[in-house]
Amino acid sequence: QTVRWHIELQPWASPTPSLNYEASRFLKYISTSQISCEHTNLNSLKGYSKTAKKPWSICLDERFSLIHRIRSKQCRLYSLGLGNDDNQFELSMANSGCEVHRFDPSIKSAHIQEGRHLWYHRLSIDWRDPNPAIAAHKLHSNTKKLGTVLNEFGHQKIDVLKADVESAEWKILENLILEDVVEQIGQLVFEVHMHWPGFEVSGNDSTVVRYWYSLLRELELKDFRLFHTYKDLSKPQMFLKKEAFNASSCYTLSWVNTRWK
């Protein structure tokens, strides 16, 4: 298997690079469901309370594996966050019998188990592993790629990967695609931030939006389909530092891997 270093960039949206055309294509793309999902929340499952602040939507339709894995108590959720106190979704998944791993560099101990099904790990998921030969990287020894964590934990699959990583999501997603880790994931629920390009994403505005769009098209090529999109109107209405395009700076997007039946 050949190692990929870069994702395949989509052609420009217009004959000459234009932020208007790129933004229009991208925003239309993230606002349009590609597959319909009848059941997208845990109301039907025990232990669910409606106080979750955000719609972390998962697809519980019978044609996909998640609902069956929840019923047979075999499901696994990885949640990537940064000191976010809204863990209602994680608790409800754990109450449903799912094995829940929450990765957050701000917790006090290396590993904490709460109840039968919920673990907290003082780890930050990144798009690269620290290089022990570089002094500055030693400070980040609790930062790892998702593929590395899966290997260390002995986990082959994640039924749901939920991520709210404050603008690191683009490079993390790129890493999951380049290393084919995404194929080990059943559903993705990502909060994406668009008020700036994101960590280590460079280029002018139109280049950045083309890169974002190309990443999401790569997911589609790997048989992921967007089934839920939520535009967060409580966040600033900013798109790359501009009040333009009628966009929010923050969307929550949910995909299902249609290969996972």
Side-chain angles (χ1 to χ4, degrees), residues 14-248:
S14 52
T16 53
S18 144
L19 176 59
N20 280 349
Y21 278 100
E22 294 304 322
S24 165
R25 174 173 71 171
F26 174 75
L27 289 165
K28 183 180 177 197
Y29 190 81
I30 65 167
S31 303
T32 310
S33 296
Q34 297 167 332
I35 196 169
S36 68
C37 185
E38 300 288 313
H39 309 284
T40 59
N41 65 33
L42 290 158
N43 284 349
S44 52
L45 303 171
K46 66 180 194 292
Y48 185 79
S49 91
K50 286 193 172 175
T51 54
K53 296 181 185 125
K54 292 201 185 84
W56 298 107
S57 295
I58 49 179
C59 189
L60 297 168
D61 286 8
E62 296 286 336
R63 61 189 163 140
F64 298 119
S65 65
L66 181 59
I67 186 63
H68 306 287
R69 292 175 67 80
I70 289 174
R71 285 184 191 135
S72 61
K73 305 283 190 269
Q74 290 182 309
C75 69
R76 179 179 293 131
L77 165 71
Y78 271 31
S79 167
L80 319 183
L82 297 165
N84 185 337
D85 58 355
D86 179 20
N87 61 354
Q88 190 62 53
F89 177 73
E90 289 79 357
L91 290 172
S92 49
M93 289 291 277
N95 288 340
S96 306
C98 288
E99 176 189 330
V100 176
H101 296 272
R102 170 105 173 131
F103 297 89
D104 183 344
S106 69
I107 65 165
K108 303 278 188 291
S109 313
H111 304 283
I112 300 171
Q113 184 173 355
E114 274 191 16
R116 281 179 57 201
H117 301 294
L118 181 60
W119 286 264
Y120 289 88
H121 306 282
R122 190 173 59 207
L123 273 172
S124 173
I125 303 300
D126 200 13
W127 54 92
R128 65 208 150 189
D129 285 328
N131 181 342
I134 300 174
H137 282 203
K138 287 183 181 162
L139 302 170
H140 305 289
S141 56
N142 61 349
T143 297
K144 292 178 178 174
K145 294 189 294 194
L146 188 67
T148 304
V149 172
L150 282 169
N151 288 338
E152 289 180 359
F153 283 24
H155 294 161
Q156 300 298 314
K157 292 188 167 180
I158 306 170
D159 293 282
V160 181
L161 176 65
K162 172 199 166 195
D164 179 4
V165 288
E166 307 300 340
S167 300
E169 64 273 359
W170 302 110
K171 294 299 282 186
I172 289 173
L173 198 52
E174 181 185 62
N175 169 256
L176 299 183
I177 291 166
L178 291 177
E179 297 192 353
D180 289 327
V181 175
V182 76
E183 290 165 13
Q184 295 171 255
I185 299 168
Q187 299 192 21
L188 291 168
V189 191
F190 267 57
E191 188 168 278
V192 298
H193 302 86
M194 298 176 306
H195 55 292
W196 70 296
F199 290 106
E200 294 200 19
V201 178
S202 57
N204 63 24
D205 287 353
S206 52
T207 304
V208 165
V209 183
R210 180 197 188 198
Y211 164 75
W212 290 346
Y213 174 71
S214 301
L215 266 181
L216 302 189
R217 286 300 303 273
E218 288 254 1
L219 279 181
E220 194 181 337
L221 291 172
K222 291 193 178 281
D223 295 312
F224 279 82
R225 296 292 179 268
L226 188 66
F227 66 85
H228 191 265
T229 170
Y230 168 72
K231 178 179 177 179
D232 191 343
L233 295 173
S234 70
K235 296 285 172 72
Q237 306 302 292
M238 299 292 285
F239 188 88
L240 292 176
K241 303 186 175 141
K242 300 173 181 63
E243 290 182 26
F245 311 115
N246 191 25
S248 171

